[in-house]
Amino acid sequence: MTPTFLGLPGGLAYAPKGVGNLHADQPFPTAAKSALANTQLRRNLGVATSTIRAKRAAVVAELPDWEQLRDAGAAIKAQAMQRLPELLEQLERNVVARGGVVHWARDAAEANQIVIDIVRAAGSSEVVKVKSMATQEIGLNEALEAVGISATETDLAELIVQLGHDKPSHILVPAIHRNRSEIRDIFAREMADAPEGLSDEPRVLAMTARAHLRRKFLSTKVAVSGGNFAIAETGTLGVVESEGNGRMCLTLPNTLITVLGIEKVLPSWRDLEVFLQLLPRSSTGERMNPYTSMWTGVTPGDGPQEFHLVLLDNGRTAVLADEVGRAALHCIRCSACLNVCPVYERTGGNAYGSVYPGPIGAILSPQLTGIGGHSDPNASLPFASSLCGACYDVCPVKIDIPSILVHLRARAVEAARHDLMPSGQALAMKSASWFMRSPTRFSRAERLLRLGRVLAWRRGRITALPWPGSSWTMSRDLPAPPRETFRERWERERGGGADR
Ligand code: SF4
């Protein structure tokens, strides 16, 4: 069936905002403050990101044509976005022709309902899951739980996050903020079949999770996955992973449901060659993925006998409408940009308040949910960057993240213009503009600022101001105003004229 919400391009019908885990509860600076105070978190993040950075740099340096591969990846993605409606319809035809069922979901609520209906129709009250950003984005686990269906994450790090009633803080290594003794405590507390006296030795922890998950794989009838790629020309889906849990989920249960963001479609198998080189090197710093699973529809007597593909919009067509911002849809979720980001390395992922943290989260989440006025926490995300450009340098599909951040900052400022209650910054700018529009007012204001010398006193700098000046002095000092203004000095040395 033709998707009615994808009248692309030229006739874009925007998908309504759905529920899910994309929207931050509090502005980034507020959330970052508590993350920065957590020294254990910063230590864990520092060790993990520097290790992955070094591994990535080593394997990328092995390829003489790395830059050409990046160019090819960027070009394939740009072309796929241009042909998106046509490719999605081709994908649908080929999945259906090979025995699969395709569902179109405008938003998170629709996607969740589709999955719930399929699980119920299969007569099951539990599912096993392959790690998937799309299902986290729509809040699938929470939606399933609300109707009495239990979901078990089977990726080790996701399992740690789920059992810890926690939130993932990294796209690839969701439990990056946990160390091994914290993980031992979580298993001992939450895993009913964990052995007595569990140690925090990594091998023991991994074996405990393995035994726990094996029982789930063998008894659960429905699996839910995401997908790294979908090949339009054959209707093939692909998942890459490192632990083999994905392969178990994709082959053992009778029913397989794949929730796929519509931007994951690629035109042909040949395109996959480029991404299977770019992705593992950029994400885990490996030459190839330990497990690459591909499936096309259903095969009688082999693997799941029912396959459902849920194609998810959830704001993506709105992102596609923005000429600058749409490049965010090229992302292959490798997480290389997180590992090099100086802001992410200090705050971790939870401060971003969205399932997509770090530089990619700062450009994707606000676009998927829309940017509100200054009180919208998501509007603070494009400002969570020093614009150093390290993310652009490592991105395997050459997404110009800094330029998109600047573009989104402009959109956030524009949105705040319509606020009934202007922000402290907007008020400060308005009053500065009023003073600067008149030479007399400006000169008087300069003289008035000299009073700041009293506050600075002998230190030569102002360290604390009342609101709204406190927004500045809580993180930086202000130098004491000079004894003499520029105009006074000009007058003294050259004799008049500076005021005109
Ligand atoms: S934006 Fe680029 S570097 Fe960041 S996760 Fe996406 S593909 Fe990887």
Side-chain angles (χ1 to χ4, degrees):
M1 197 181 92
T2 302
T4 53
F5 57 95
L6 277 168
L8 311 172
L12 276 167
Y14 291 176
K17 243 192 238 181
V19 292
N21 292 323
L22 277 173
H23 207 277
D25 298 331
Q26 48 184 347
F28 181 82
T30 314
K33 211 172 282 174
S34 53
L36 287 170
N38 185 340
T39 45
Q40 180 68 58
L41 171 78
R42 289 172 62 182
R43 198 170 305 128
N44 295 354
L45 281 168
V47 171
T49 52
S50 58
T51 308
I52 305 176
R53 268 201 310 268
K55 278 181 76 183
R56 177 204 163 272
V59 292
V60 162
E62 290 172 356
L63 289 186
D65 60 348
W66 181 250
E67 286 309 312
Q68 286 90 326
L69 275 171
R70 289 178 77 208
D71 286 335
I76 293 167
K77 279 289 181 180
Q79 195 216 28
M81 290 306 108
Q82 271 172 13
R83 298 175 51 206
L84 193 57
E86 171 206 333
L87 291 176
L88 288 171
E89 288 177 23
Q90 189 187 9
L91 174 71
E92 179 186 36
R93 276 196 305 278
N94 285 322
V95 169
V96 171
R98 285 159 181 82
V101 182
V102 176
H103 309 258
W104 298 86
R106 268 175 296 208
D107 58 18
E110 272 191 18
N112 287 335
Q113 194 55 52
I114 291 167
V115 176
I116 290 168
D117 292 345
I118 299 169
V119 178
R120 281 180 171 155
S124 185
S125 60
E126 59 178 338
V127 300
V128 280
K129 285 187 68 211
V130 190
K131 177 177 164 11
S132 141
M133 299 304 298
T135 59
Q136 279 171 28
E137 173 189 321
I138 61 176
L140 180 64
N141 288 9
E142 295 88 335
L144 290 173
E145 196 185 330
V147 296
I149 299 170
S150 72
T152 303
E153 294 290 350
T154 63
D155 171 271
L156 178 55
E158 282 293 345
L159 181 69
I160 294 164
V161 169
Q162 186 181 37
L163 291 175
H165 309 288
D166 205 353
K167 285 192 174 148
S169 60
H170 190 280
I171 291 177
L172 191 74
V173 222
I176 198 169
H177 55 295
R178 296 287 192 188
N179 61 23
R180 62 196 212 187
S181 62
E182 289 175 306
I183 294 167
R184 188 262 324 272
D185 294 347
I186 291 171
F187 280 9
R189 194 177 62 236
E190 303 284 339
M191 206 183 263
D193 48 3
E196 287 287 315
L198 189 63
S199 85
D200 67 358
E201 196 194 321
R203 189 178 163 280
V204 174
L205 293 173
M207 294 307 285
T208 305
R210 187 170 187 259
H212 172 76
L213 289 172
R214 280 280 152 124
R215 282 185 275 277
K216 291 282 178 193
F217 288 134
L218 293 171
S219 63
T220 310
K221 284 196 241 156
V222 182
V224 178
S225 84
N228 291 94
F229 308 103
I231 311 293
E233 72 175 353
T234 54
T236 304
L237 276 295
V239 162
V240 293
E241 39 108 16
S242 305
E243 297 169 14
N245 63 302
R247 181 70 58 82
M248 295 278 199
C249 285
L250 299 168
T251 52
L252 287 174
N254 194 54
T255 302
L256 173 62
I257 307 166
T258 299
V259 180
L260 187 89
I262 52 174
E263 80 282 18
K264 296 290 180 70
V265 68
L266 294 176
S268 69
W269 271 91
R270 278 187 64 183
D271 302 322
L272 201 58
E273 179 206 339
V274 173
F275 294 102
L276 289 184
Q277 293 183 72
L278 287 172
L279 182 56
R281 284 185 154 84
S282 301
S283 56
T284 46
E286 291 168 306
R287 294 185 187 100
M288 64 183 288
N289 288 93
Y291 294 88
T292 301
S293 303
M294 317 290 282
W295 70 100
T296 311
V298 291
T299 306
D302 183 13
Q305 294 303 291
E306 224 183 281
F307 170 54
H308 295 265
L309 174 62
V310 182
L311 290 170
L312 176 72
D313 182 332
N314 207 30
R316 285 160 175 79
T317 49
V319 181
L320 207 54
D322 185 322
E323 276 183 29
V324 180
R326 70 170 62 139
L329 295 178
H330 299 180
C331 174
I332 56 171
R333 313 278 189 265
C334 72
S335 74
C337 57
L338 276 65
N339 301 327
V340 295
C341 177
V343 176
Y344 175 86
E345 191 177 2
R346 280 153 189 84
T347 63
N350 292 339
Y352 292 79
S354 159
V355 294
Y356 300 114
I360 180 59
I363 59 169
L364 191 57
S365 310
Q367 292 199 85
L368 287 174
T369 56
I371 300 178
H374 82 268
S375 55
D376 176 9
N378 265 15
S380 67
L381 291 178
F383 297 88
S385 167
S386 63
L387 299 181
C388 67
C391 47
Y392 184 25
D393 292 342
V394 295
C395 178
V397 286
K398 285 198 163 171
I399 301 173
D400 185 354
I401 296 175
S403 295
I404 301 178
L405 284 167
V406 172
H407 169 70
L408 295 179
R409 287 179 185 188
R411 275 181 54 187
V413 170
E414 189 52 40
R417 235 188 259 280
H418 308 293
D419 282 351
L420 288 177
M421 257 310 277
S423 66
Q425 189 187 15
L427 278 177
M429 288 299 158
K430 268 205 173 93
S431 39
S433 130
W434 185 77
F435 280 112
M436 286 175 176
R437 278 203 303 270
S438 149
T440 317
R441 282 200 297 261
F442 189 65
S443 140
R444 282 189 191 143
E446 276 182 326
R447 282 200 285 269
L448 210 61
L449 280 179
R450 225 171 1 218
L451 288 176
R453 293 187 66 78
V454 180
L455 291 176
W457 202 48
R458 280 193 202 140
R459 287 185 301 267
R461 57 186 198 279
I462 303 168
T463 54
L465 280 173
W467 188 89
S470 57
S471 310
W472 181 275
T473 52
M474 72 172 61
S475 46
R476 311 168 189 84
D477 292 345
L478 267 179
R483 256 176 235 289
E484 188 179 41
T485 69
F486 171 75
R487 285 152 197 265
E488 288 165 343
R489 184 171 165 191
W490 183 280
E491 212 154 301
R492 178 168 54 76
E493 290 183 1
R494 309 213 172 182
D499 268 359
R500 281 177 285 278

